[in-house]
Amino acid sequence: MTSLDSDKRLPTPSAQQAAAPADAGWGRTLGSSARAAVLVLLLCGVAYPLATTGVAQALLPHAANGSLVLRDGQIVGSALIGQYFDSARYFHGRPSATTAPDPNQEGASIAAAYNAGLSGASNQGASSQGLADSVAERVAQYRTTNGLAADAAVPVDAVTASASGLDPHISVANANLQLARVARERQLPPAQVQQLLDQATQQRTGYLLGEPRVNVLALNMALDALPTRSQP
């Protein structure tokens, strides 16, 4: 190699100069990632929730706010969540398998019907002896409470809990078997109670899905709203 060729060789870059382009690339990557993260946060965490909330409040405010039920301006429940009624003067809802923390034993739970803070089912299958015993006990209690014959058929929703444990509805058959008891306890004509029951009955969703059902809270509130002179 001649001296002239040697003179044409480029100088070798220093380590600092070689690392500069790599550092710049990482900087650009981090910057673009941060901007993308902020954009996604604003779109999905701010804009989208605000838009859906605004549309829901404008078009379906009652449903968007939990389908709350008011009486004299006070919230007494929700049309979507069942409540526990045990008085003979009221229609009774489905059994509930919800639980609550045991105040006497940390980490344990106890039965707490219609606990809206801990929705759930018992997860017992058809082969469970515990479930069979519970259903048999509920059947006997249901017949006794409603003055039915010892061999009277009992609707399945009267003796089994729903998957959520918070079902606000009962079947029309279940409500009809309770009608005589409620009318007797309130000293009301059965036809009057039947009229309220019919008003509280909801038809199939879209006339296709599910079965006709009775909202227990709505029906019991309608009973309480009757003039005082009609009640004992």
Side-chain angles (χ1 to χ4, degrees):
M1 179 181 295
T2 63
S3 59
L4 182 60
D5 293 332
S6 300
D7 293 338
K8 292 180 178 179
R9 288 182 298 177
L10 297 176
T12 302
S14 64
Q16 182 177 5
Q17 291 173 331
D23 292 341
W26 276 108
R28 287 193 296 272
T29 301
L30 291 175
S32 62
S33 299
R35 289 191 294 272
V38 172
L39 178 61
V40 171
L41 174 64
L42 293 176
L43 288 176
C44 300
V46 179
Y48 179 75
L50 288 177
T52 53
T53 300
V55 171
Q57 291 293 336
L59 300 180
L60 301 167
H62 178 66
N65 290 304
S67 300
L68 300 178
V69 178
L70 304 179
R71 180 170 59 189
D72 299 329
Q74 301 294 321
I75 298 175
V76 296
S78 168
L80 305 177
I81 298 177
Q83 296 187 24
Y84 183 59
F85 293 96
D86 61 351
S87 170
R89 292 168 49 84
Y90 290 107
F91 285 85
H92 300 165
R94 293 188 66 168
S96 175
T98 57
T99 61
D102 188 342
N104 300 318
Q105 184 176 356
E106 185 177 357
S109 60
I110 56 174
Y114 288 103
N115 178 17
L118 195 60
S119 173
S122 65
N123 293 326
Q124 293 177 325
S127 61
S128 169
Q129 186 59 46
L131 177 61
D133 293 341
S134 296
V135 169
E137 181 180 350
R138 292 168 182 166
V139 167
Q141 181 63 43
Y142 186 88
R143 288 168 174 162
T144 300
T145 299
N146 295 291
L148 304 178
D151 59 348
V154 175
V156 67
D157 66 292
V159 294
T160 59
S162 65
S164 68
L166 303 173
D167 194 342
H169 303 101
I170 58 175
S171 66
V172 177
N174 187 352
N176 283 330
L177 288 176
Q178 299 185 55
L179 189 150
R181 165 178 55 81
V182 174
R184 181 179 64 253
E185 291 293 328
R186 290 179 177 264
Q187 299 182 7
L188 294 172
Q192 186 176 13
V193 180
Q194 182 67 58
Q195 183 179 14
L196 295 179
L197 192 159
D198 293 340
Q199 294 173 354
T201 299
Q202 302 173 0
Q203 299 304 317
R204 292 181 175 90
T205 303
Y207 299 98
L208 293 174
L209 303 178
E211 295 292 333
R213 54 203 180 274
V214 179
N215 189 291
V216 178
L217 176 59
L219 179 55
N220 286 334
M221 288 184 62
L223 286 168
D224 284 343
L226 292 175
T228 305
R229 59 181 175 81
S230 298
Q231 301 183 21

